[in-house]
């Protein structure tokens, strides 16, 4: 694969995995994918239709310059992506695709969810565990006691926990970044990746990251939404090593995500940390610094101006 620098996409799901991601052109969910692409500024709202299998998906990655895509599973009513399916894709990808497991503690119960999480991480080789707190049949906040055993599994297995959030949470009461603060302080050695960055509560998310170095902010497609500039401001300061790039494919085009991210005004150090250094450390990817190229000259000047 032609490669000028490593880029890790921390939130990317092949569209063929589930109708929710655009696998069925005749399903209502297909139009929802197109609609959300429009809402978050996607210029090609049909881009996800190109990649109908793993080869097509990796071709999209290549065109965007993405080295590794992190596939975050979902296990909520209406969107069940088996961990085994992600494991098969990951194993066959030669290191290009990384799977993050997901379990539903409401469906499986406490013991069943713990057992499924351990199996996915230890036996299937998943690199983390996703928790869809506000999306379960019985919604909850990220610090709900029913989730604590799953955080404990992550600590035990040495993997990060991914916490789902964002404005599509069915009831925004549960999209609460302050709940992450309690989790971070209860498990100070557990990396917590906040998917969608608890948008639109950007200021509170940034405050939680300020207080807790084990909190990582991955706003992905919402980086480019109104108010998202505060993520970037923080990343150019104290949050440099806690900010992560994600395309949110199929809900925004991969290449547009990479291009737009390069135009945010991040310093060179913040850009490298967000696009690969921090993710490589979190997930044990062992990416090589020797393959890194600098930001384009125009972006370097813009970043210097933003830091001035």
């Amino acid at each position: 694969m032609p490669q000028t620098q490593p880029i890790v996409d921390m939130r990317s799901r092949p569209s063929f995995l589930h109708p929710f991601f655009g696998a069925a052109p005749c399903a209502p969910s297909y139009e929802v994918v197109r609609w959300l692409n429009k809402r978050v500024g996607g210029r090609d709202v049909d881009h996800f239709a190109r990649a109908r299998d793993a080869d097509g998906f990796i071709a999209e990655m290549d065109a965007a310059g993405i080295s590794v895509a992190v596939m975050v599973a979902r296990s909520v009513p209406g969107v069940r992506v088996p961990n085994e399916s992600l494991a098969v894709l990951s194993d066959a990808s030669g290191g290009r695709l990384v799977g993050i497991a997901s379990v539903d503690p409401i469906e499986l119960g406490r013991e069943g969810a713990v057992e499924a999480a351990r199996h996915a991480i230890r036996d299937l080789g998943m690199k983390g565990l996703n928790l869809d707190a506000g999306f379960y049949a019985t919604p909850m906040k990220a610090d709900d006691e029913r989730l604590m055993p799953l955080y404990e599994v992550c600590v035990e297995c040495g993997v990060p926990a991914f916490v789902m959030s964002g404005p599509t949470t069915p009831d925004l009461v549960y999209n609460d970044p302050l709940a992450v603060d309690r989790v971070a302080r209860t498990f100070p050695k557990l990396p917590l990746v906040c998917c969608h960055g608890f948008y639109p509560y950007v200021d509170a998310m940034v405050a939680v990251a300020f207080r807790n170095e084990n909190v990582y902010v991955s706003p992905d497609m919402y980086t480019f939404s109104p108010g998202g500039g505060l993520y970037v401001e923080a990343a150019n300061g104290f949050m440099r090593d806690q900010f992560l790039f994600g395309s949110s494919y199929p809900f925004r085009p991969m290449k547009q995500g990479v291009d737009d991210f390069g135009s945010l005004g991040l310093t060179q150090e913040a850009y490298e940390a967000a696009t690969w250094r921090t993710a490589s450390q979190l997930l044990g990817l062992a990416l090589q610094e020797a393959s890194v190229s600098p930001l384009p000259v125009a972006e370097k000047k813009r970043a210097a101006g933003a830091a001035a």
Side-chain angles (χ1 to χ4, degrees):
M1 180 192 71
Q3 183 83 26
T4 58
Q5 69 171 18
I7 295 178
V8 179
D9 184 346
M10 286 293 286
R11 192 169 184 85
S12 186
R13 280 69 53 84
S15 57
F16 57 80
L17 279 176
H18 194 278
F20 179 79
F21 301 127
C26 296
S29 55
Y30 189 89
E31 289 305 315
V32 173
V33 178
R34 298 182 77 250
W35 174 84
L36 190 50
N37 268 271
K38 292 177 185 177
R39 298 294 283 181
V40 296
R43 290 189 288 272
D44 177 5
V45 300
D46 296 303
H47 65 93
F48 60 92
R50 291 192 294 265
R52 284 326 204 180
D53 55 26
D55 289 341
F57 183 72
I58 290 176
E60 290 288 306
M61 292 170 58
D62 288 345
I66 292 171
S67 314
V68 178
V70 179
M71 305 178 296
V72 182
R74 301 292 304 275
S75 186
V76 296
V79 189
R80 304 286 184 191
V81 178
N83 295 321
E84 289 77 8
S85 296
L86 292 193
V88 169
L89 280 173
S90 178
D91 291 346
S93 72
R96 299 295 304 280
L97 306 178
V98 169
I100 303 300
S102 192
V103 298
D104 184 343
I106 301 301
E107 180 193 43
L108 298 176
R110 175 187 173 120
E111 296 304 320
V114 166
E115 182 180 350
R118 284 200 183 109
H119 170 67
I121 296 165
R122 291 177 173 174
D123 302 329
L124 300 180
M126 310 295 264
K127 294 286 191 178
L129 179 66
N130 176 60
L131 302 174
D132 281 291
F135 294 78
Y136 297 131
T138 302
M140 60 189 76
K141 293 186 179 183
D143 62 350
D144 192 282
E145 291 299 327
R146 289 166 290 187
L147 296 178
M148 293 301 166
L150 295 172
Y151 292 123
E152 291 172 2
V153 170
C154 291
V155 173
E156 170 191 312
C157 296
V159 300
F162 287 62
V163 183
M164 175 62 171
S165 68
T168 61
T169 305
D171 184 341
L172 285 174
V173 167
Y174 299 100
N175 182 44
D176 181 8
L178 299 183
V180 175
D181 185 67
R182 180 187 170 212
V183 180
R185 291 180 174 260
T186 303
F187 303 100
K189 295 185 178 180
L190 171 63
L192 295 164
V193 178
C194 297
C195 301
H196 297 328
F198 280 87
Y199 187 83
Y201 307 124
V202 184
D203 54 349
M205 179 77 268
V206 168
V208 171
F210 180 87
R211 285 163 54 86
N212 303 283
E213 292 187 34
N214 59 324
V215 170
Y216 296 83
V217 183
S218 180
D220 44 82
M221 60 187 175
Y222 298 112
T223 306
F224 314 104
S225 294
L230 185 57
Y231 295 125
V232 179
E233 182 181 345
N236 275 334
F238 76 88
M239 208 171 77
R240 183 190 70 184
D241 297 320
Q242 297 166 260
F243 185 52
L244 297 161
F245 165 74
S247 71
S248 209
Y249 182 94
F251 300 109
R252 207 168 188 271
M254 288 188 208
K255 189 173 190 312
Q256 183 183 345
V258 171
D259 292 344
D260 289 351
F261 201 80
S263 300
L264 286 173
L266 290 166
T267 65
Q268 180 68 37
E269 293 78 12
Y271 177 81
E272 291 181 10
T275 53
W276 72 277
R277 288 185 188 275
T278 300
S280 181
Q281 181 179 9
L282 278 174
L283 301 174
L285 301 179
L287 295 175
Q288 296 299 312
E289 183 175 3
S291 63
V292 176
S293 66
L295 279 168
V297 173
E299 302 310 330
K300 209 169 186 178
K301 289 180 178 177
R302 183 180 290 120

